[in-house]
Amino acid sequence: MILADLDARQAKEPDVHGARLFGLVYPTGRDDIDELALEVNRRYLFGNALNPFKFPELAALETEVVAGVGSLVNLPAAGGGSMTSGGTESILMSMLVSRERARARGVERPQILTPVSAHPAYAKAAHYFDLVVVRIPLDETYRADVREAERLIGPDTAVVIASAFSYPYGVVDPVTDLAALAAEHGAGCHVDACIGGFVLPFLERLGRDVPPWDFRVPGVTEMSADVHKYGYVPKGASVVLHRDEDWFGHQAFLFDQWPAGLYGSPAMAGARPAAPIATAWAVMSYLGVDGYTEIVRDLMTTVAKVRTAVDALPGIEIVGDPVGPVLALRSDTIDLYAVGDVMDDRGWNLNRNTDPPGLHLMLSPAHGAVVDALLADLGDAVANHGESEGKAVRYS
Ligand SMILES: *Cc1c(COP(=O)(O)O)cnc(C)c1O
């Protein structure tokens, strides 16, 4: 009865396995990966990762996940980090650490210098931690404009942000220039690889042209990478990394001024679900670098199909030069919001961008099986659409 009720309610929502959603979930279409995640969750669902002394094996799994992501993004041996509940928490922790570093050198109102295309989590961090956001305009390639960043950076800059790659356009900011600029001013540089962290390492292995973006770039001090996106682990799994393990001390919170002994936690949460940690470890171990590389190879075949089809649609073009599976579409002649409405009616939940106004596609591996239908509907919708219904543009 209870389950039937839930089934009925869930049936009113988009199917998370159906490959008709973009960006919110990352279906692989692979039963083996889904089964593994389900089995691990059966085992760890009731756990709590709060106390590493009681559950040292769980703590070790987290350490191994952090080390695994670290090796993907070339974190130096002196680096460290932790798992968090998601990209937002990873970014919050990183911004907190940058604030503490800035305060230590006497900055009273530390600033986050961030491209306008960066994720809202930076504004959220500023709101939570009393930081000031200074926004870098984009250049004509939709990447952070380095000249503007040079103009805007100053003694109060705590950290410079670069997305690798950005959510709105899927393009990689000029990480080398931004990190060098940050270092020159004694600021940190956070690379937001929430999406790219589990895509770019494998694109590189496939021999694709990927601009420098990870800890190999001098001046990059922190990074966020989400295991619950292109790492194909259910929600609740991300990693925040620091070039210098000592900085992790600013992130962790210790307290013993209460009657129940020393309390410590590495990030925002107190009690922490164990399942995302164990699932991240399991899926990453199961797929390995070769498994992820294969998935990304197939994914890029789907991306190429979409790009070719979009290029053939008169009046519609891809925004900027996206490096991976996130594409933005723009048009000067066609109302893409009206096209999006038709796509919605056909069951595709395409996202919208506001600047430039258009559609946003975050392609997942499972879209490979439906890409022909998607493109047929898109072509149809472009040829036959009415007025836009004027729906509000919402993130994901
Ligand atoms: C998803 C995302 C985030 C935030 O991550 P959550 O897991 O949603 O909290 C940050 N940056 C980028 C580029 C993202 O795509």
Side-chain angles (χ1 to χ4, degrees), residues 86-89 91 119 121 165-167 192 194-195 226 228-229 362 395:
T88 299
E89 192 182 4
I91 288 167
H119 193 272
F165 37 92
S166 71
Y167 174 86
D192 186 1
C194 277
I195 332 176
D226 291 348
H228 70 198
K229 288 178 179 162
M362 198 150 186
Y395 171 68

Side-chain angles (χ1 to χ4, degrees), residues 103-180:
R103 281 189 177 168
R105 61 180 167 91
V107 181
E108 270 172 33
R109 230 29 236 297
Q111 298 178 350
I112 304 174
L113 184 56
T114 173
V116 298
S117 53
H119 193 272
Y122 297 97
K124 193 174 191 175
H127 179 62
Y128 283 4
F129 301 140
D130 197 25
L131 294 156
V132 177
V133 174
V134 177
R135 286 153 55 94
I136 313 169
L138 307 182
D139 64 18
E140 64 286 351
T141 65
Y142 294 88
R143 306 176 330 141
D145 188 325
V146 177
R147 290 243 177 88
E148 293 285 341
E150 285 168 354
R151 200 174 58 75
L152 293 166
I153 199 166
D156 291 345
T157 306
V159 59
V160 179
I161 312 306
S163 299
F165 37 92
S166 71
Y167 174 86
Y169 314 114
V171 302
V172 181
D173 282 321
V175 175
T176 305
D177 292 344
L178 291 173

Side-chain angles (χ1 to χ4, degrees), residues 309-330:
V310 169
D311 286 344
L313 289 171
I316 300 180
E317 58 185 53
I318 302 278
V319 178
D321 187 16
V323 66
V326 174
L327 309 173
L329 274 50
R330 65 170 295 168

Side-chain angles (χ1 to χ4, degrees), residues 182-194:
E184 214 177 284
H185 287 78
C189 176
H190 177 108
V191 171
D192 186 1
C194 277

